[in-house]
Amino acid sequence: MSPNSQLLLLAFGAVVALIVLIARFKLHPFVALIAVSLGMGTAAGMPLGRVVQAFQDGVGGVLGFIAIVVALGTMLGKMMAESGGATRIATTLITLFGEQRVHWAIMFVAFIVGIPVFFQVGFVLLIPLVFTIARRSGLSLVKIGIPLVAGLSVVHGMVPPHPAAMLAVGAYHADVGRTIAYALLVGLPTAALAGPIFASWIAPRIALPGENPIAAQLAGDVPREMPSFGISLFTVLLPVILMLGASTADIALDAASTLRSGVDFVGGPIVALLVALLFSFWSLGYRQHFTRDQILKFANDCLGPTAAILLVIGAGGGFNRVLLESGVGRAIADVALGSHASPLLLAWTVAALIRVATGSATVAMTTAAGIVAPIALATPGTPTELLVLATGAGSLVLSHVNDSGFWLIKEFFNMTVPQTLKTWTVAETIIGVAGLGFTLLLSLVVGCAPRERGASELSAQGWIDVTATLDPAKTPVYEGDAPMKFDFLKDMRKGDILTLSVYSLGAHSGTHIDAPMHFVVNGAPIDQVGLDPLIGAARVIDIPDSVRAIDSGELNRHDWRGAKRVLFRTRSTLRGWMDSAEFHRDFAYIAPDAAQLLADAGVLLVGVDYISAEQFGAAAPRTHQILLGRGIPIVEGLDLRPVQAGDYDVIVLPLKVRGHEAAPARAIARKRTGK
């Protein structure tokens, strides 16, 4: 059996083990994910210490960002609930649509209100309104309720800033604003099919009991004093507006523009949610006569229930990291590339299988994104934002008895298990299939759209060679590495009929690229590093001559956020060390905490101007492990003397050497003009 087959069987066994532990033995998903992750890594042959470290890195990498998003989004949702803002949006849209089309209004309400809150939170928030409308209008609870859950479910699975969608955005290195825009284009027709259209057909076929105890408790009158529709809608959509604005600025404004930097800062998911939350304290708090103590209580009360959700999300991130570092992601990528399967279809299929197996859309989306991300790197041309949508659609399909949402819907709607399968399960499956279909249609339109602004035509004009010249007499060699030897087998200058050369050198000679295989067990070799990280926009950052350790503090003194590729111009450039045969141990290096920042920010490529990014004599190669563990190739040995700090287009292409961890590369850069 091939190594890839063994890894795939281990991964399948890990998923089965998760199902058994969670469904059969009722083990908490957090504990089950830890146990299965450690067992999977050990069985795959990872060093025992590295298994724990990989899981820990995965949890930390996920929660470092998602915990903030979850906390801010939950507090915003709580303000919407307590102020009556959500009810105001609902009642206004219902009035606009009319009672006969109230199921359409409910779908739009769920879509809007669901943006900042979890599915369960949005459901509990809006279900009293559904009960009230059903009682007053005499319409079937199924006809009104299915559009509600369809709208919430689509937003939960596809639209950032929901945690699972944000994790997928990070895994695929997608643009948040563009993902939101595409998600709206795909999500609205998907919710319409699974919600009002399907509900109108299925409702006459489902006979519910005349009495619903929960409805009797929750159906009530609309609150008397509520914020206006305009201020409520603006508050809930403010983070989306800010994030879309940042993406628009990236397209319309020059990279060096101060305005673009400001818009990108405010439009980042964390800052955008923070701005919206602070605004809600005024718009939905003080304006509604809530006291400071009441607003503080709302914020405190809503955070407690998120603890379990965060633990499961973090453990899912740890499971993803173990899958990646054990080589499972690469094994699946190899199979997918060999079969020439569409990455969009593969992302959907993997997510759907995990969803059916585990019952969790969040676990399905985060795990599938971690598995499919290497394929996205190895298959340039697929819009990463559409991969987020395809993964999200797959994570929603075929909810059944192992999904807590299934039982939530069953109990609130007072349905039998067969009735829940005919309504909720079918609606979720329609979402999954329709979401994929609309995503594939959208890929026909945006698949060929330019990813980054650049020159209108290809030419040599403006390109600068930043490759260190290979010369055994001048090029430094890392201490202990293979020396360079160049010779002529035949030489026309000596009377031969032709000139023929022979080279002997290490893979890490001169300007070269480190692939994940260099420090990651079963990591991708250099011939499987995709083109996407090696070609595109980069930012050259000047590090002072006095700085040896580029740590997080030093990194944050510079404008690096938002850059997809980061190249460090250090004391090695200032001193011309890439053109000096002597090996200098005191070169500037990237500290692990800075490497973690770069990796968490979704940087695609990191480069340095000496032959290693790691501190000489470091006890452990943590910088390499962090970056390569995230699939981020490292270009080392750049000659950055011809360029200054700023934004460039770069192309760095290594020799395509099968099955090895590094290769010499040719690197060129061109100043970005913004034209």
Side-chain angles (χ1 to χ4, degrees):
M1 184 181 296
S2 69
N4 277 355
S5 299
Q6 292 176 353
L7 285 170
L8 292 175
L9 282 176
L10 282 174
F12 176 76
V15 173
V16 171
L18 274 177
I19 300 171
V20 173
L21 290 173
I22 295 172
R24 176 68 179 84
F25 293 100
K26 307 300 180 186
L27 195 63
H28 193 282
F30 175 68
V31 179
L33 280 164
I34 296 176
V36 170
S37 298
L38 299 182
M40 168 72 200
T42 303
M46 293 175 64
L48 295 179
R50 187 58 204 151
V51 176
V52 176
Q53 187 64 51
F55 183 83
Q56 180 179 315
D57 289 347
V59 173
V62 166
L63 292 185
F65 172 71
I66 291 300
I68 303 172
V69 172
V70 169
L72 294 175
T74 302
M75 285 190 278
L76 179 58
K78 181 69 170 178
M79 291 302 301
M80 290 288 298
E82 295 292 345
S83 66
T87 304
R88 170 64 76 187
I89 294 173
T91 54
T92 301
L93 290 179
I94 290 166
T95 301
L96 290 174
F97 278 82
E99 192 171 279
Q100 294 305 311
R101 292 180 294 276
V102 71
H103 53 311
W104 284 93
I106 285 293
M107 184 206 80
F108 282 105
V109 168
F111 207 96
I112 294 170
V113 174
I115 287 175
V117 300
F118 284 105
F119 173 86
Q120 292 88 343
V121 175
F123 179 80
V124 174
L125 175 68
L126 294 176
I127 194 65
L129 187 66
V130 170
F131 288 146
T132 300
I133 294 171
R135 186 189 65 186
R136 292 179 178 179
S137 64
L139 294 173
S140 165
L141 185 60
V142 171
K143 185 172 182 177
I144 304 172
I146 291 299
L148 168 73
V149 296
L152 290 173
S153 185
V154 168
V155 176
H156 175 77
M158 295 186 182
V159 184
H162 271 274
M166 287 304 301
L167 281 172
V169 166
Y172 294 132
H173 306 300
D175 178 83
V176 177
R178 194 181 288 121
T179 303
I180 292 174
Y182 293 167
L184 295 177
L185 291 174
V186 168
L188 283 170
T190 298
L193 281 175
I197 295 174
F198 170 66
S200 296
W201 180 83
I202 193 64
R205 295 164 172 80
I206 301 294
L208 297 180
E211 296 294 325
N212 186 324
I214 298 179
Q217 294 180 33
L218 295 181
D221 297 325
V222 175
R224 188 168 46 183
E225 184 179 355
M226 295 182 292
S228 69
F229 174 75
I231 199 71
S232 301
L233 186 64
F234 179 76
T235 301
V236 76
L237 292 182
L238 182 55
V240 176
I241 294 170
L242 293 175
M243 284 185 274
L244 286 173
S247 293
T248 303
D250 288 344
I251 296 172
L253 300 177
D254 183 79
S257 166
T258 303
L259 176 59
R260 173 173 166 178
S261 298
V263 174
D264 282 342
F265 172 76
V266 177
I270 291 175
V271 178
L273 280 169
L274 177 61
V275 170
L277 177 62
L278 293 175
F279 181 75
S280 75
F281 289 161
W282 174 80
S283 64
L284 306 178
Y286 294 136
R287 291 181 82 247
Q288 294 305 114
H289 311 297
F290 288 116
T291 65
R292 293 178 183 178
D293 288 339
Q294 286 176 305
I295 293 174
L296 178 62
K297 185 177 185 300
F298 297 156
N300 287 331
D301 290 348
C302 70
L303 291 181
T306 66
I309 296 170
L310 286 174
L311 287 174
V312 172
I313 291 173
F319 183 47
N320 287 345
R321 175 60 72 86
V322 173
L323 284 174
L324 284 174
E325 295 201 15
S326 67
V328 171
R330 175 51 52 186
I332 293 178
D334 289 343
V335 172
L337 291 173
S339 64
H340 304 291
S342 162
L344 293 176
L345 289 173
L346 184 70
W348 185 90
T349 302
V350 172
L353 290 174
I354 297 173
R355 159 68 160 181
V356 173
T358 66
S360 170
T362 300
V363 171
M365 194 168 187
T366 55
T367 305
I371 291 173
V372 178
I375 301 169
L377 292 176
T379 314
T382 302
T384 51
E385 294 79 18
L386 297 188
L387 279 171
V388 175
L389 302 190
T391 308
S395 74
L396 298 173
V397 75
L398 203 63
S399 166
H400 58 96
V401 293
N402 64 351
D403 178 14
S404 61
F406 178 93
W407 300 103
L408 183 74
I409 304 305
K410 175 190 177 299
E411 295 302 320
F412 270 80
F413 287 9
N414 199 23
M415 293 189 290
T416 64
V417 168
Q419 287 176 328
T420 312
L421 290 169
K422 292 176 184 177
T423 53
W424 162 253
T425 301
V426 173
E428 286 286 271
T429 304
I430 292 173
I431 290 172
V433 175
L436 174 64
F438 287 123
T439 300
L440 292 174
L441 287 175
L442 185 59
S443 71
L444 300 177
V445 179
V446 304
C448 298
R451 301 291 300 159
E452 291 171 337
R453 295 160 56 224
S456 58
E457 63 181 43
L458 186 63
S459 72
Q461 182 178 2
W463 287 101
I464 303 167
D465 197 336
V466 291
T467 313
T469 301
L470 290 172
D471 183 347
K474 289 187 174 183
T475 307
V477 175
Y478 197 91
E479 192 172 293
D481 203 355
M484 284 184 285
K485 296 179 181 179
F486 297 174
D487 205 352
F488 293 102
L489 295 179
K490 295 184 181 295
D491 193 339
M492 293 179 65
R493 295 169 297 183
K494 297 180 179 180
D496 293 326
I497 193 171
L498 78 163
T499 300
L500 188 64
S501 302
V502 59
Y503 306 149
S504 173
L505 70 165
H508 301 266
S509 298
T511 304
H512 63 277
I513 292 178
D514 289 350
M517 181 183 176
H518 189 30
F519 280 108
V520 177
V521 177
N522 296 318
I526 193 66
D527 59 303
Q528 293 182 14
V529 172
L531 293 176
D532 191 50
L534 307 179
I535 302 174
R539 184 164 300 162
V540 176
I541 295 176
D542 258 335
I543 302 296
D545 179 80
S546 59
V547 174
R548 282 196 59 202
I550 307 172
D551 55 19
S552 59
E554 176 63 29
L555 180 61
N556 285 329
R557 292 188 184 97
H558 304 274
D559 180 19
W560 66 274
R561 293 192 180 275
K564 289 297 185 183
R565 299 161 190 84
V566 178
L567 310 178
F568 292 103
R569 188 176 187 272
T570 74
R571 63 201 329 238
S572 300
T573 291
L574 300 175
R575 302 179 184 208
W577 282 351
M578 280 309 296
D579 199 21
S580 168
E582 179 186 357
F583 174 68
H584 296 271
R585 294 184 173 187
D586 56 341
F587 57 85
Y589 61 90
I590 303 171
D593 59 346
Q596 192 68 59
L597 276 180
L598 293 166
D600 291 343
V603 170
L604 300 179
L605 177 75
V606 175
V608 293
D609 55 357
Y610 204 56
I611 43 181
S612 180
E614 197 84 48
Q615 180 184 13
F616 181 81
R622 291 294 298 132
T623 293
H624 280 82
Q625 289 171 345
I626 290 167
L627 295 175
L628 299 179
R630 291 284 186 94
I632 303 170
I634 306 170
V635 54
E636 298 170 331
L638 290 165
D639 182 359
L640 296 180
R641 288 176 294 181
V643 301
Q644 301 299 319
D647 289 315
Y648 293 80
D649 290 312
V650 298
I651 300 175
V652 189
L653 297 179
L655 294 175
K656 197 170 185 180
V657 182
R658 183 180 298 278
H660 283 267
E661 85 294 345
R666 190 70 178 265
I668 57 177
R670 179 172 62 186
K671 188 72 174 177
R672 289 175 68 83
T673 62
K675 295 180 181 178

